[in-house]
Amino acid sequence: MRFISIYIKSKESKMEQTSPIQALLQQRTLLQLEYYTEKEAFRKLTEQIGMRRKVKRGDAWFPLRIGKSFYNSLNQKSIEVFRTSDEEIDHNFEFGRPVMFFQVKNHSGEISSHASSHQNAASSSQGAMSSSQNAASSSQGAASSSSASNPKSIKYFSFTGTVSYVDGDRMVINVPDSVSLLDLQTEEPIGVQLSFDETSYKLMFEALDRTMKAKNNRLAYLRDLFYSHQKAGRFSFEPMKFPWLNPTQERAVNEVLWAKDVAIVHGPPGTGKTTTLVEAINETLMRESQVLVCAQSNMAVDWISEKLVDRGINVLRIGNPTRVNDKMLGFTYERRFESHPDYPQLWAIRKAIRELRSNRKKGSESFHQKMDRLRSRAAEIEIRINAELFGEARVIACTLVGSAHRLLEGMKFGTLFIDEAAQALEAACWIPMRRASRVILAGDHCQLPPTVKSIAALRAGLGKTLMERIAENKPEVVTLLKIQYRMNEEIMRFSSDWFYGGQVESAPQIKYRSILDYDHPISWIDTSNEENQITIEGEDAPEDSASTSSSSAANQNSDLNFKEQFVGESFGRINKAEAELTLLTLAEYFTKIGKQRVLGDSIDVGIISPYRAQVQYLKKLIKKYEFFKPYRRLISVNTVDGFQGQERDVILISLVRSNDEGQIGFLKDLRRMNVAMTRARMKLIILGNKDTMTKHPFYKKLWEYVEGLNNDE
């Protein structure tokens, strides 16, 4: 026993002495495990599901209408495609993701399983980082070879495209120069599907390798600083006054300005993290000519960029956002490039180059001289345009992965701001770090974490973010924002007590905000209790099957009707009776408020469920029931991840899980529940089986909290 004790102490001592290089090497190993896990999961998923299920998952569009082809401002050949069916399905296409075109031979409604296997071969045969095109070619050959015996087969085109822009049912895809629009215009239906994304992993591996090899430079210094208890450097000057900010926001901005190396802004829900960050960026720009602002997702980048633009700051957005609004579209690099006065001249030269290349066989002996002259002139104009665009911009905004864009090659920044840093893998944060002298991180590790699919990698520490690591080693660089401006006090209190040590308080002006007088801001409808299974009566009640089906469910044994169903790994679980009850609950609440007031005041509603199957079923029901027709523009339905960073007047949460064993799956990740609960401004309604959920201590405490509020008259 004494030997074992000594061994454990020795092991702990070695762990404490782990060097930054060793720690990063471990991160690389775990990232490699995550890479292989995700790739294998992608392959298996492709093998198990057919094209129809891929379309329903949002991983494919089929059939397509091919639009025009053109060269974008970066001189990349692009093809426009339009989705012609299943428009209501949320999709997973976004900027930068690789895609493959396919053609269904002799299509007659359903794709055969044999054809689907060729599709699987196309996806699964994609090798390591640079082999996706070869995989597409091999799968194309396989599909073609069997088409004679199988009249319903899939043929993959021998090129890989990249999503450039997505807006609704329109998508722009960058393709190799050799691709002809005529190749895609056939009698057989054409589709496009996501391919496995190697790019992000490649850049993260490169970033980790670069960081580990760094010596005698700023990157090496930051690496060693973040992995040690060494005190971070600080400037010393009198604090700035910001009367329009609250005390904790003011302190956070000053801490950012004082930081020589690193600072962290910890922003719980509704505490004005974005407002604080915008102020910090604005003040930093008083001292620096330009800063780099990054985030994990395009949505987060767009959000912070919008706020900076509203502040009058010149933002240059690198990388097209997935669903960019008109305001931000004007600030993207491509749009600004195309709007430059010299661009028409550049476009004319590029056109001349393409024409000269296509007519090369007929050309004169001076072909190479003409080509070199045109290319030199084009490069000169492009350099001049880029110099002006980047010279005028005060903020360069992009995703963490987007910071590796060729346009930023060689650029250095005094300060790097990383928003939503608690959602980013550590490896991703190191991608832009090489360009900066100091780093400011903002986020909340008590909300959504990074997505890690490998359980082994997660348990070994891959889910631990750089923000968490720095906060542990250097708590003095963390500033917690403590006043929230979103929620009624009773909605906020449980989250504050459980996740933030009771430090978050409500601003006086929103402390008692509500929609109805004498209404409880938070309630839990127990689906295991027949008394809580409501029906709706009155003038405004739904006159369709919604009330009928749920009414009958209420009069039957709840154990038979309010049980979860497993519908596959992709979609998770569904509880149809609970979905019906969720909408009846909302209809009842709308009836209490009154139709005129709901529409007149634009009282918006969010319906959240942790499972995609439940989300899709709820969306179908809302479209089905006439009662909700006037309110549809006010109702959003999505997963927890889809509501990150958003808020609504009313939030309903359908927990779905209902079983005798008390199994709640990934609802055990309490950070997701924290996000869901803190989206509501004035009314939060939770629907779920109390007997199932309260077997977990968090939900037991939550149930007791809600019951205490509702019984306290």
Side-chain angles (χ1 to χ4, degrees), residues 587-607:
E588 182 193 48
Y589 197 64
F590 276 167
T591 303
K592 284 182 179 178
I593 300 170
K595 181 177 180 180
Q596 188 174 355
R597 187 184 168 202
V598 172
L599 298 176
D601 295 351
S602 294
I603 297 173
D604 52 358
V605 177
I607 304 177

PDB file of all heavy atoms in Angstrom, residues 587-607:
ATOM      1  N   ALA A 587     -50.964  27.322 -26.958  1.00  0.00           N
ATOM      2  CA  ALA A 587     -52.261  27.838 -27.415  1.00  0.00           C
ATOM      3  C   ALA A 587     -53.067  28.385 -26.245  1.00  0.00           C
ATOM      4  O   ALA A 587     -53.713  29.435 -26.354  1.00  0.00           O
ATOM      5  CB  ALA A 587     -53.031  26.737 -28.131  1.00  0.00           C
ATOM      6  N   GLU A 588     -53.041  27.673 -25.127  1.00  0.00           N
ATOM      7  CA  GLU A 588     -53.739  28.143 -23.937  1.00  0.00           C
ATOM      8  C   GLU A 588     -53.159  29.478 -23.466  1.00  0.00           C
ATOM      9  O   GLU A 588     -53.901  30.396 -23.091  1.00  0.00           O
ATOM     10  CB  GLU A 588     -53.644  27.108 -22.819  1.00  0.00           C
ATOM     11  CG  GLU A 588     -54.401  27.516 -21.562  1.00  0.00           C
ATOM     12  CD  GLU A 588     -54.054  26.670 -20.360  1.00  0.00           C
ATOM     13  OE1 GLU A 588     -52.858  26.485 -20.113  1.00  0.00           O
ATOM     14  OE2 GLU A 588     -54.973  26.230 -19.648  1.00  0.00           O
ATOM     15  N   TYR A 589     -51.840  29.609 -23.500  1.00  0.00           N
ATOM     16  CA  TYR A 589     -51.209  30.847 -23.046  1.00  0.00           C
ATOM     17  C   TYR A 589     -51.532  31.997 -23.989  1.00  0.00           C
ATOM     18  O   TYR A 589     -51.799  33.126 -23.555  1.00  0.00           O
ATOM     19  CB  TYR A 589     -49.702  30.644 -22.921  1.00  0.00           C
ATOM     20  CG  TYR A 589     -49.025  31.695 -22.081  1.00  0.00           C
ATOM     21  CD1 TYR A 589     -49.322  31.835 -20.729  1.00  0.00           C
ATOM     22  CD2 TYR A 589     -48.082  32.550 -22.637  1.00  0.00           C
ATOM     23  CE1 TYR A 589     -48.699  32.815 -19.952  1.00  0.00           C
ATOM     24  CE2 TYR A 589     -47.444  33.520 -21.870  1.00  0.00           C
ATOM     25  CZ  TYR A 589     -47.769  33.646 -20.531  1.00  0.00           C
ATOM     26  OH  TYR A 589     -47.154  34.611 -19.771  1.00  0.00           O
ATOM     27  N   PHE A 590     -51.518  31.744 -25.301  1.00  0.00           N
ATOM     28  CA  PHE A 590     -51.926  32.764 -26.271  1.00  0.00           C
ATOM     29  C   PHE A 590     -53.369  33.198 -26.023  1.00  0.00           C
ATOM     30  O   PHE A 590     -53.709  34.381 -26.133  1.00  0.00           O
ATOM     31  CB  PHE A 590     -51.788  32.230 -27.686  1.00  0.00           C
ATOM     32  CG  PHE A 590     -50.404  32.349 -28.261  1.00  0.00           C
ATOM     33  CD1 PHE A 590     -50.052  31.680 -29.425  1.00  0.00           C
ATOM     34  CD2 PHE A 590     -49.443  33.146 -27.660  1.00  0.00           C
ATOM     35  CE1 PHE A 590     -48.785  31.794 -29.964  1.00  0.00           C
ATOM     36  CE2 PHE A 590     -48.168  33.274 -28.198  1.00  0.00           C
ATOM     37  CZ  PHE A 590     -47.843  32.590 -29.354  1.00  0.00           C
ATOM     38  N   THR A 591     -54.234  32.231 -25.697  1.00  0.00           N
ATOM     39  CA  THR A 591     -55.640  32.538 -25.439  1.00  0.00           C
ATOM     40  C   THR A 591     -55.782  33.435 -24.220  1.00  0.00           C
ATOM     41  O   THR A 591     -56.589  34.359 -24.199  1.00  0.00           O
ATOM     42  CB  THR A 591     -56.438  31.242 -25.258  1.00  0.00           C
ATOM     43  OG1 THR A 591     -56.285  30.403 -26.413  1.00  0.00           O
ATOM     44  CG2 THR A 591     -57.918  31.528 -25.046  1.00  0.00           C
ATOM     45  N   LYS A 592     -55.005  33.174 -23.180  1.00  0.00           N
ATOM     46  CA  LYS A 592     -55.030  34.005 -21.977  1.00  0.00           C
ATOM     47  C   LYS A 592     -54.580  35.436 -22.277  1.00  0.00           C
ATOM     48  O   LYS A 592     -55.157  36.400 -21.780  1.00  0.00           O
ATOM     49  CB  LYS A 592     -54.123  33.405 -20.899  1.00  0.00           C
ATOM     50  CG  LYS A 592     -54.703  32.192 -20.193  1.00  0.00           C
ATOM     51  CD  LYS A 592     -53.747  31.709 -19.109  1.00  0.00           C
ATOM     52  CE  LYS A 592     -54.309  30.506 -18.371  1.00  0.00           C
ATOM     53  NZ  LYS A 592     -53.341  30.019 -17.331  1.00  0.00           N
ATOM     54  N   ILE A 593     -53.545  35.558 -23.087  1.00  0.00           N
ATOM     55  CA  ILE A 593     -53.030  36.882 -23.424  1.00  0.00           C
ATOM     56  C   ILE A 593     -53.994  37.626 -24.326  1.00  0.00           C
ATOM     57  O   ILE A 593     -54.232  38.831 -24.163  1.00  0.00           O
ATOM     58  CB  ILE A 593     -51.652  36.771 -24.108  1.00  0.00           C
ATOM     59  CG1 ILE A 593     -50.643  36.082 -23.201  1.00  0.00           C
ATOM     60  CG2 ILE A 593     -51.122  38.151 -24.502  1.00  0.00           C
ATOM     61  CD1 ILE A 593     -49.333  35.728 -23.901  1.00  0.00           C
ATOM     62  N   GLY A 594     -54.552  36.905 -25.278  1.00  0.00           N
ATOM     63  CA  GLY A 594     -55.442  37.513 -26.266  1.00  0.00           C
ATOM     64  C   GLY A 594     -54.741  37.697 -27.596  1.00  0.00           C
ATOM     65  O   GLY A 594     -53.605  38.186 -27.647  1.00  0.00           O
ATOM     66  N   LYS A 595     -55.425  37.288 -28.650  1.00  0.00           N
ATOM     67  CA  LYS A 595     -54.846  37.324 -29.983  1.00  0.00           C
ATOM     68  C   LYS A 595     -54.368  38.716 -30.370  1.00  0.00           C
ATOM     69  O   LYS A 595     -53.265  38.898 -30.913  1.00  0.00           O
ATOM     70  CB  LYS A 595     -55.861  36.804 -31.008  1.00  0.00           C
ATOM     71  CG  LYS A 595     -55.355  36.763 -32.432  1.00  0.00           C
ATOM     72  CD  LYS A 595     -56.413  36.177 -33.353  1.00  0.00           C
ATOM     73  CE  LYS A 595     -55.920  36.132 -34.800  1.00  0.00           C
ATOM     74  NZ  LYS A 595     -56.969  35.557 -35.703  1.00  0.00           N
ATOM     75  N   GLN A 596     -55.180  39.732 -30.082  1.00  0.00           N
ATOM     76  CA  GLN A 596     -54.858  41.100 -30.474  1.00  0.00           C
ATOM     77  C   GLN A 596     -53.562  41.575 -29.831  1.00  0.00           C
ATOM     78  O   GLN A 596     -52.714  42.179 -30.493  1.00  0.00           O
ATOM     79  CB  GLN A 596     -56.006  42.043 -30.108  1.00  0.00           C
ATOM     80  CG  GLN A 596     -55.830  43.463 -30.646  1.00  0.00           C
ATOM     81  CD  GLN A 596     -57.059  44.319 -30.392  1.00  0.00           C
ATOM     82  OE1 GLN A 596     -58.077  43.838 -29.898  1.00  0.00           O
ATOM     83  NE2 GLN A 596     -56.973  45.598 -30.729  1.00  0.00           N
ATOM     84  N   ARG A 597     -53.399  41.264 -28.559  1.00  0.00           N
ATOM     85  CA  ARG A 597     -52.185  41.702 -27.872  1.00  0.00           C
ATOM     86  C   ARG A 597     -50.956  40.924 -28.341  1.00  0.00           C
ATOM     87  O   ARG A 597     -49.879  41.505 -28.514  1.00  0.00           O
ATOM     88  CB  ARG A 597     -52.349  41.540 -26.361  1.00  0.00           C
ATOM     89  CG  ARG A 597     -51.178  42.143 -25.620  1.00  0.00           C
ATOM     90  CD  ARG A 597     -51.223  41.945 -24.135  1.00  0.00           C
ATOM     91  NE  ARG A 597     -49.960  42.296 -23.537  1.00  0.00           N
ATOM     92  CZ  ARG A 597     -49.536  41.860 -22.360  1.00  0.00           C
ATOM     93  NH1 ARG A 597     -50.316  41.044 -21.630  1.00  0.00           N
ATOM     94  NH2 ARG A 597     -48.352  42.226 -21.890  1.00  0.00           N
ATOM     95  N   VAL A 598     -51.100  39.621 -28.541  1.00  0.00           N
ATOM     96  CA  VAL A 598     -49.963  38.815 -29.009  1.00  0.00           C
ATOM     97  C   VAL A 598     -49.426  39.367 -30.317  1.00  0.00           C
ATOM     98  O   VAL A 598     -48.224  39.568 -30.492  1.00  0.00           O
ATOM     99  CB  VAL A 598     -50.360  37.333 -29.173  1.00  0.00           C
ATOM    100  CG1 VAL A 598     -49.224  36.551 -29.839  1.00  0.00           C
ATOM    101  CG2 VAL A 598     -50.688  36.708 -27.830  1.00  0.00           C
ATOM    102  N   LEU A 599     -50.349  39.640 -31.259  1.00  0.00           N
ATOM    103  CA  LEU A 599     -49.938  40.136 -32.564  1.00  0.00           C
ATOM    104  C   LEU A 599     -49.522  41.601 -32.503  1.00  0.00           C
ATOM    105  O   LEU A 599     -48.545  42.010 -33.145  1.00  0.00           O
ATOM    106  CB  LEU A 599     -51.071  39.943 -33.575  1.00  0.00           C
ATOM    107  CG  LEU A 599     -51.496  38.486 -33.831  1.00  0.00           C
ATOM    108  CD1 LEU A 599     -52.691  38.438 -34.782  1.00  0.00           C
ATOM    109  CD2 LEU A 599     -50.336  37.670 -34.390  1.00  0.00           C
ATOM    110  N   GLY A 600     -50.259  42.402 -31.745  1.00  0.00           N
ATOM    111  CA  GLY A 600     -49.949  43.827 -31.651  1.00  0.00           C
ATOM    112  C   GLY A 600     -48.622  44.111 -30.990  1.00  0.00           C
ATOM    113  O   GLY A 600     -47.859  44.972 -31.446  1.00  0.00           O
ATOM    114  N   ASP A 601     -48.307  43.386 -29.924  1.00  0.00           N
ATOM    115  CA  ASP A 601     -47.044  43.574 -29.210  1.00  0.00           C
ATOM    116  C   ASP A 601     -45.927  42.685 -29.746  1.00  0.00           C
ATOM    117  O   ASP A 601     -44.802  42.750 -29.241  1.00  0.00           O
ATOM    118  CB  ASP A 601     -47.233  43.302 -27.711  1.00  0.00           C
ATOM    119  CG  ASP A 601     -48.161  44.300 -27.037  1.00  0.00           C
ATOM    120  OD1 ASP A 601     -48.522  45.293 -27.707  1.00  0.00           O
ATOM    121  OD2 ASP A 601     -48.543  44.087 -25.866  1.00  0.00           O
ATOM    122  N   SER A 602     -46.241  41.859 -30.743  1.00  0.00           N
ATOM    123  CA  SER A 602     -45.257  40.924 -31.323  1.00  0.00           C
ATOM    124  C   SER A 602     -44.545  40.114 -30.235  1.00  0.00           C
ATOM    125  O   SER A 602     -43.314  40.071 -30.139  1.00  0.00           O
ATOM    126  CB  SER A 602     -44.217  41.677 -32.176  1.00  0.00           C
ATOM    127  OG  SER A 602     -44.824  42.253 -33.309  1.00  0.00           O
ATOM    128  N   ILE A 603     -45.346  39.467 -29.411  1.00  0.00           N
ATOM    129  CA  ILE A 603     -44.804  38.617 -28.346  1.00  0.00           C
ATOM    130  C   ILE A 603     -44.221  37.358 -28.988  1.00  0.00           C
ATOM    131  O   ILE A 603     -44.951  36.525 -29.520  1.00  0.00           O
ATOM    132  CB  ILE A 603     -45.892  38.262 -27.318  1.00  0.00           C
ATOM    133  CG1 ILE A 603     -46.381  39.543 -26.624  1.00  0.00           C
ATOM    134  CG2 ILE A 603     -45.376  37.263 -26.292  1.00  0.00           C
ATOM    135  CD1 ILE A 603     -47.572  39.336 -25.715  1.00  0.00           C
ATOM    136  N   ASP A 604     -42.912  37.241 -28.976  1.00  0.00           N
ATOM    137  CA  ASP A 604     -42.274  36.126 -29.678  1.00  0.00           C
ATOM    138  C   ASP A 604     -42.035  34.941 -28.752  1.00  0.00           C
ATOM    139  O   ASP A 604     -41.883  35.078 -27.536  1.00  0.00           O
ATOM    140  CB  ASP A 604     -40.972  36.554 -30.358  1.00  0.00           C
ATOM    141  CG  ASP A 604     -40.010  37.259 -29.416  1.00  0.00           C
ATOM    142  OD1 ASP A 604     -40.345  37.453 -28.240  1.00  0.00           O
ATOM    143  OD2 ASP A 604     -38.914  37.639 -29.879  1.00  0.00           O
ATOM    144  N   VAL A 605     -42.014  33.759 -29.365  1.00  0.00           N
ATOM    145  CA  VAL A 605     -41.974  32.503 -28.627  1.00  0.00           C
ATOM    146  C   VAL A 605     -40.871  31.613 -29.201  1.00  0.00           C
ATOM    147  O   VAL A 605     -40.690  31.527 -30.419  1.00  0.00           O
ATOM    148  CB  VAL A 605     -43.326  31.763 -28.717  1.00  0.00           C
ATOM    149  CG1 VAL A 605     -43.252  30.411 -28.008  1.00  0.00           C
ATOM    150  CG2 VAL A 605     -44.448  32.621 -28.142  1.00  0.00           C
ATOM    151  N   GLY A 606     -40.156  30.951 -28.311  1.00  0.00           N
ATOM    152  CA  GLY A 606     -39.194  29.940 -28.717  1.00  0.00           C
ATOM    153  C   GLY A 606     -39.583  28.597 -28.113  1.00  0.00           C
ATOM    154  O   GLY A 606     -39.885  28.507 -26.934  1.00  0.00           O
ATOM    155  N   ILE A 607     -39.604  27.549 -28.941  1.00  0.00           N
ATOM    156  CA  ILE A 607     -39.857  26.193 -28.462  1.00  0.00           C
ATOM    157  C   ILE A 607     -38.559  25.416 -28.631  1.00  0.00           C
ATOM    158  O   ILE A 607     -38.045  25.281 -29.750  1.00  0.00           O
ATOM    159  CB  ILE A 607     -41.010  25.513 -29.214  1.00  0.00           C
ATOM    160  CG1 ILE A 607     -42.276  26.367 -29.132  1.00  0.00           C
ATOM    161  CG2 ILE A 607     -41.272  24.126 -28.640  1.00  0.00           C
ATOM    162  CD1 ILE A 607     -43.458  25.797 -29.918  1.00  0.00           C
TER     163      ILE A 607
END
